[in-house]
Amino acid sequence: MYLNTIALSPERIQRFQEIASTSIGPLIEGAIKYTIPLAIIAFSIGLIIAIFTALARISSNKLLRAIARVYVSIIRGTPLLVQLFIIFYGLPTIGITIDPFPSAIIGFSLNVGAYASEIIRAAILSIPKGQWEAAYSIGMNYLQALRKIVLPQAARVSVPPLSNSFIGLVKDTSLAATILVAETFRRAQEIASMNYEFLFVYIMAALVYWVICFILSIIQGRIEIRLDRVVGKSGGLS
């Protein structure tokens, strides 16, 4: 019915064209200024958290293992939206006020850290114990074996799921609109509230997200090919 109305109404088509021409700029601006930087910063910080968490999970230290396990359990067991609300709306009630963008970075980083840590932990554990033993046999210590032998191979295993996590994070940044970050979806909400063409504007926002994720998927494929070459040349001991 909605599509039939569009087809039978030249005035409505013209209105959509006008909305598209005036809206695409703010939507892309929101993506460039907030969506993409938010995803990159949060993923970078989250990846650092994930590495340390993964190492803690496989550590022989029971306290470290327990702390890491509790952290991962809490983050994975609660909705991301709730975590963002606790940081942005909840912390001010105890005197801790954080601006929208930093709040989003904290929330997304902690979330990425928990989920990515399981990916990295599984990748490290997938490396045969013989690789560790071979590294020790040539005089390497734990850190040297981890950095030079294990992590390069684990990187190849973890890149595809981590890349998918990053692409998922780009889409999840739309939740930042709920804590007033002016990213792509927030811009779409503001535009739609003025012209009341919610379906059309939200479809435009969806297309912006899709284009970003499509480009990222192409980059992901090239990174995987490059890693195949690097690991194939230097990623192991025998």
Side-chain angles (χ1 to χ4, degrees), residues 84-231:
L84 292 173
F85 270 49
I86 288 174
I87 294 169
F88 185 69
Y89 296 110
L91 291 182
T93 63
I94 58 174
I96 303 174
T97 301
I98 307 175
D99 290 336
F101 193 74
S103 294
I105 289 176
I106 294 171
F108 287 119
S109 296
L110 291 174
N111 193 270
V112 169
Y115 282 92
S117 69
E118 292 298 279
I119 295 174
I120 295 173
R121 182 173 71 95
I124 293 175
L125 293 177
S126 71
I127 305 304
K129 290 184 178 180
Q131 293 293 309
W132 290 94
E133 295 169 355
Y136 294 147
S137 69
I138 61 174
M140 289 186 180
N141 57 32
Y142 175 81
L143 291 178
Q144 289 174 328
L146 184 68
R147 180 170 59 88
K148 296 182 178 181
I149 305 301
V150 176
L151 286 183
Q153 297 177 75
R156 175 62 190 91
V157 176
S158 61
V159 160
L162 285 176
S163 299
N164 291 333
S165 295
F166 180 67
I167 293 173
L169 176 61
V170 171
K171 295 180 288 185
D172 287 343
T173 56
S174 60
L175 293 175
T178 62
I179 59 171
L180 310 180
V181 177
E183 47 73 61
T184 303
F185 188 63
R186 180 71 179 180
R187 297 291 179 89
Q189 289 179 313
E190 293 171 350
I191 294 169
S193 67
M194 291 186 292
N195 56 41
Y196 297 102
E197 296 291 352
F198 293 95
L199 177 61
F200 183 71
V201 174
Y202 289 160
I203 288 175
M204 287 184 61
L207 288 174
V208 171
Y209 283 111
W210 175 75
V211 169
I212 295 173
C213 293
F214 180 74
I215 294 172
L216 289 175
S217 66
I218 294 175
I219 296 174
Q220 173 187 353
R222 294 184 177 180
I223 291 175
E224 290 178 16
I225 292 173
R226 187 176 183 84
L227 270 177
D228 279 338
R229 295 172 181 171
V230 172
V231 174

